[in-house]
Amino acid sequence: MKKALVYILSAVLLTAFSASCSTGLEPVEDLENTGYTIVISGTAADITTTEPLENVKITFYAAAVTENGEGALVSKTVYTDNRGRFEMSKEGFQQKILCRITAEDQTGTYESSTQEMIVSWSGPSFNSETGTFYANDVNFYLKKEE
């Protein structure tokens, strides 16, 4: 009888312990209502001298990838600081997105440049606890207009 009680108590404790552990890989339940967030950061510099470029217009465009094409387009624009750096975030995404990030020099001295990526809300750049995808080092090296 005593052994049976020990086995039952052990099973209950093991179950409680297992239920309390988390791998940290499960998405937050509220993400279904609020959606995912993307954070993009990087720099803009002269391709020849690598000098940082200030006031370069960085525009982020994103569209949901659907079975029959792309969904609604969203965009956001920021400008590089005096060190050529930028950072932006956009939230509310519900599914995989196609992103296009464009750098445009406002003085007309440099050619524009574009980078594309698909974000599927997984992988090492995705924090499943917060629902945030980090695209770091989105760097642009702009060539002077000829």
Side-chain angles (χ1 to χ4, degrees):
M1 175 76 166
K2 198 173 187 180
K3 281 186 176 181
L5 187 57
V6 169
Y7 286 127
I8 292 171
L9 185 57
S10 296
V12 169
L13 289 174
L14 182 60
T15 303
F17 177 75
S18 297
S20 70
C21 294
S22 172
T23 62
L25 297 177
E26 297 85 18
V28 177
E29 290 178 22
D30 291 289
L31 292 177
E32 291 182 14
N33 299 325
T34 60
Y36 298 117
T37 299
I38 186 167
V39 176
I40 302 167
S41 63
T43 61
D46 181 290
I47 195 168
T48 304
T49 66
T50 66
E51 289 293 317
L53 299 175
E54 184 177 4
N55 206 32
V56 172
K57 180 180 177 182
I58 308 293
T59 307
F60 164 77
Y61 302 95
V65 178
T66 62
E67 288 181 14
N68 51 342
E70 295 177 7
L73 183 69
V74 297
S75 67
K76 184 167 186 175
T77 299
V78 297
Y79 294 85
T80 57
D81 64 14
N82 62 351
R83 294 190 200 169
R85 299 179 304 184
F86 71 91
E87 182 174 308
M88 68 175 81
S89 65
K90 189 76 173 156
E91 58 189 32
F93 298 103
Q94 300 292 327
Q95 59 200 59
K96 181 169 38 172
I97 57 173
L98 171 63
C99 303
R100 179 174 292 135
I101 303 112
T102 302
E104 297 175 273
D105 174 40
Q106 300 301 287
T107 66
T109 305
Y110 294 90
E111 297 177 2
S112 63
S113 179
T114 300
Q115 296 184 36
E116 292 185 353
M117 69 178 131
I118 294 179
V119 177
S120 59
W121 312 109
S122 63
S125 296
F126 180 63
N127 181 329
S128 62
E129 290 179 12
T130 63
T132 305
F133 185 90
Y134 294 93
N136 299 320
D137 298 323
V138 178
N139 300 320
F140 293 93
Y141 296 94
L142 304 181
K143 179 180 175 185
K144 285 192 175 183
E145 292 275 355
E146 294 181 15

